[in-house]
Amino acid sequence: FVSFLALILTSLCTLLVRLDTTFKETVYEISLPQRVVFILLFIITCLVCIAGAVAFGSITFVYGIDLQSMQVRNGLAVSMAVCGVGLIIYVLTGSWAVILFTRKLVELTKSQSDDVYADTTREYKMNQRQKQLIDQITRYNVLFSVAAFFSIVLTALLLCDSALPQFYEVGAW
C-alpha cells in the first residue's frame, strides 16, 4: 500500500519536473504562479497520501487486521478515503501538467514551421523535428493515461471493502 503511494507520488514528481525542465529558459517556460501552484498541489498530495498511509499503518498496528472489528473496518475506510482524495488530487494535477506540456509542445511544433504564412489550400508537410515532437506528445499522453488508469484501478481495488473479507477467508492475502 505504501509502495503504491510512493509510486504515484514519484510519477507525479517526475511529470512536474519534466514539464519544468523541458521548457526552462525558453519562451514556453511555465510561469512562476503555475510553478508555485504545481509545487503546492504536489505537497498537498504528498501530505494527504502520507496521512492516509499513517492512518492505515496505525490502525493495522494497533488493532491488527481483524475485519470483524468495526474499529478496524471504520479506520481502514477512513484511511482509504483519505488516500482516495490524494489520488483525485494526483489525477487532476497530473492531467493539468500533461495538458500544459502538450499545449507547449504543440506551440513549439507550430513555431518550427517552414512557412510563416501557410497556404490553407495546399497540404501541409511537417519537417522531421515536428514529427519527433508530435511523437513525443503522443507518447507522453499515452504514458500518463496508462499510469492514471492503473492508479485508479488499483485504488479502486484497495477501496473495495466488500472484496477484502473474501480474500482473508480464502487465505489469498
Side-chain angles (χ1 to χ4, degrees):
F1 179 71
V2 174
S3 59
F4 170 69
L5 294 177
L7 176 68
I8 67 168
L9 291 175
T10 303
S11 68
L12 181 61
C13 182
T14 303
L15 180 69
L16 297 176
V17 168
R18 176 90 187 246
L19 173 65
D20 188 48
T21 57
T22 300
F23 300 106
K24 195 170 195 116
E25 298 176 3
T26 68
V27 195
Y28 307 106
E29 182 174 19
I30 61 173
S31 65
L32 182 62
Q34 286 175 331
R35 186 175 290 129
V36 168
V37 170
F38 276 127
I39 290 170
L40 288 175
L41 286 172
F42 180 74
I43 290 170
I44 289 169
T45 305
C46 287
L47 292 175
V48 168
C49 288
I50 289 170
V54 167
F56 181 81
S58 299
I59 299 286
T60 55
F61 180 76
V62 171
Y63 297 107
I65 303 198
D66 176 21
L67 292 177
Q68 304 304 320
S69 166
M70 281 307 280
Q71 291 171 325
V72 172
R73 291 178 68 85
N74 291 339
L76 291 178
V78 167
S79 67
M80 293 296 189
V82 169
C83 289
V85 169
L87 180 70
I88 291 169
I89 298 170
Y90 155 76
V91 169
L92 293 176
T93 305
S95 298
W96 181 32
V98 167
I99 289 168
L100 191 61
F101 187 83
T102 301
R103 282 185 184 163
K104 290 186 180 294
L105 273 180
V106 168
E107 288 174 18
L108 180 64
T109 303
K110 286 180 184 177
S111 73
Q112 294 183 351
S113 173
D114 293 333
D115 279 338
V116 176
Y117 301 101
D119 184 6
T120 57
T121 59
R122 65 185 170 101
E123 186 177 324
Y124 179 75
K125 299 199 191 267
M126 292 189 288
N127 62 34
Q128 190 60 33
R129 179 69 179 143
Q130 288 173 314
K131 289 178 184 177
Q132 289 173 344
L133 288 171
I134 296 295
D135 287 345
Q136 185 177 5
I137 291 168
T138 305
R139 273 194 306 273
Y140 204 72
N141 286 330
V142 167
L143 287 173
F144 176 74
S145 299
V146 168
F149 172 76
F150 282 108
S151 297
I152 291 168
V153 168
L154 286 173
T155 302
L157 290 174
L158 288 173
L159 293 176
C160 186
D161 190 42
S162 61
L164 288 176
Q166 296 169 0
F167 281 108
Y168 282 109
E169 290 172 6
V170 174
W173 291 81

